[in-house]
Amino acid sequence: MKILHFLKGLLPVLTSLLFAGSFVAGKYTTLDLGPLTTSLLRYLIAALTLGLLVRYSASPADLKIERRDWLPMGLLGSFGVVGYHYFFFASLSHTAVANTAIINAFNPVVTGLLAAAFIGERLRLRQYGGGAIALLGVLTLLTQGHLLRLLELRLNRGDLLMLGAVFCWAIYALLIKQLSQRHSGLIITFYAALSGVVQLLVLAGLEYWWQQLATLSLASFLSLLYMGTAASGLGYLLFNLSIQRIGPTRTASVVYSSVPVFVAGLAWLFFREPVTPVMLSSMGLILVGMNFVLR
């Protein structure tokens, strides 16, 4: 029984590690690929991976989508695939890898606040307080501990881009919450990936993505392969298994709490990025705030 309990607890940790790897892999792709091109290539691989999962675990009836869900499925691709990944990869060109992961941990807080505002989810005063603490953590990171910079608008461009990614993902999460009443998580993610790929085939044309393939380095190719299969494929599967075994709240708590820690370690290992006191304090504030929101 103890071994079973340990294995259940290991699921979200392994998920976090796979997700954390995508932050490092994404940094490599910024060297020779544009953000839209990176998103397109990643999700071409992810769509194929998810397609294999759908083929072996879903029935034809599961793939049927009612007309009322066509627009929400399309918007999943717009916000969760195109918007989130454009801002994510663009931010990696302008800020530290660890910074993007710390700001990404702000996701549950933004999602909770938007859910309260737009779909009527009730939050307690304690949860609003947690949101304020997490916001203070984000502002601490954005200003490198000098909050008075907010008055001068001297902010890191990369950190602001990552904040845009967080808001895109929060909207994506709200759409999923509505669609999950009628469809499984795997089917939703599969159609979101397909929708995103269709949109990116058009948008990435602005970056002449086919020309970038000619100069694709081995590091970028391996990074895309990792992000498409391990992070978006296996990571998604482990995330779902974790939700089934220990529940969504515990899974979200472990994943969003541990991803910044893993990313900071990987960023030091691969890029020798320092872990500064400002990063640690902002990470602590965000995680404390998130804990209040997810309770």
Side-chain angles (χ1 to χ4, degrees):
M1 290 297 291
K2 286 184 177 180
I3 294 177
L4 267 175
H5 185 70
F6 172 75
L7 291 176
K8 286 180 182 179
L10 200 58
L11 284 171
V13 176
L14 291 175
T15 302
S16 301
L17 189 55
L18 289 172
F19 286 171
S22 67
F23 286 79
V24 174
K27 188 72 169 180
Y28 280 108
T29 62
T30 61
L31 299 176
D32 50 13
L33 293 174
L36 289 170
T37 301
T38 304
S39 303
L40 171 62
L41 297 177
R42 171 180 178 163
Y43 265 87
L44 279 172
I45 298 170
L48 290 173
T49 304
L50 290 165
L52 289 174
L53 290 174
V54 167
R55 176 180 173 84
Y56 291 105
S57 62
S59 67
D62 294 331
L63 290 169
K64 291 182 179 178
I65 302 296
E66 297 177 16
R67 185 170 294 181
R68 61 174 174 166
D69 290 335
W70 289 358
L71 178 60
M73 287 291 186
L75 291 175
L76 285 180
S78 300
F79 287 101
V81 177
V82 180
Y84 175 81
H85 289 91
Y86 171 77
F87 285 120
F88 169 59
F89 290 121
S91 74
L92 286 170
S93 299
H94 301 283
T95 192
V97 175
N99 279 26
T100 60
I102 293 169
I103 294 171
N104 196 58
F106 191 48
N107 254 318
V109 177
V110 176
T111 303
L113 295 175
L114 290 182
F118 293 105
I119 63 174
E121 278 196 356
R122 293 184 178 180
L123 295 180
R124 296 182 178 181
L125 185 61
R126 178 184 64 219
Q127 291 170 308
Y128 284 112
I133 294 171
L135 178 60
L136 177 61
V138 171
L139 294 177
T140 300
L141 187 66
L142 288 174
T143 61
Q144 291 298 300
H146 303 285
L147 292 174
L148 290 179
R149 283 186 184 176
L150 291 172
L151 301 176
E152 305 168 11
L153 295 178
R154 289 167 51 201
L155 304 175
N156 183 307
R157 180 184 176 187
D159 292 346
L160 289 175
L161 285 168
M162 191 59 204
L163 207 52
V166 167
F167 277 96
C168 283
W169 193 262
I171 295 170
Y172 173 78
L174 296 189
L175 289 167
I176 282 183
K177 185 173 178 63
Q178 301 302 307
L179 288 168
S180 63
Q181 298 172 14
R182 298 181 292 277
H183 306 284
S184 71
L186 177 59
I187 295 300
I188 292 171
T189 308
F190 175 62
Y191 278 119
L194 288 182
S195 168
V197 166
V198 170
Q199 295 174 54
L200 284 166
L201 280 170
V202 177
L203 294 171
L206 299 172
E207 295 179 350
Y208 301 100
W209 61 268
W210 54 90
Q211 294 180 3
Q212 296 181 53
L213 291 178
T215 57
L216 187 67
S217 66
L218 179 62
S220 291
F221 173 74
L222 293 176
S223 296
L224 288 167
L225 197 61
Y226 174 86
M227 289 188 290
T229 55
S232 299
L234 182 57
Y236 163 81
L237 180 61
L238 291 179
F239 189 77
N240 273 358
L241 288 173
S242 179
I243 288 174
Q244 291 173 1
R245 300 295 189 276
I246 66 173
T249 302
R250 288 181 180 178
T251 297
S253 298
V254 174
V255 170
Y256 281 105
S257 298
S258 52
V259 162
V261 178
F262 283 133
V263 171
L266 291 172
W268 176 84
L269 183 64
F270 283 90
F271 308 118
R272 288 296 185 263
E273 287 187 3
V275 180
T276 65
V278 170
M279 288 168 56
L280 291 174
S281 60
S282 60
M283 187 189 303
L285 287 168
I286 291 171
L287 296 182
V288 168
M290 185 185 67
N291 182 57
F292 280 111
V293 172
L294 290 178
R295 249 185 218 178

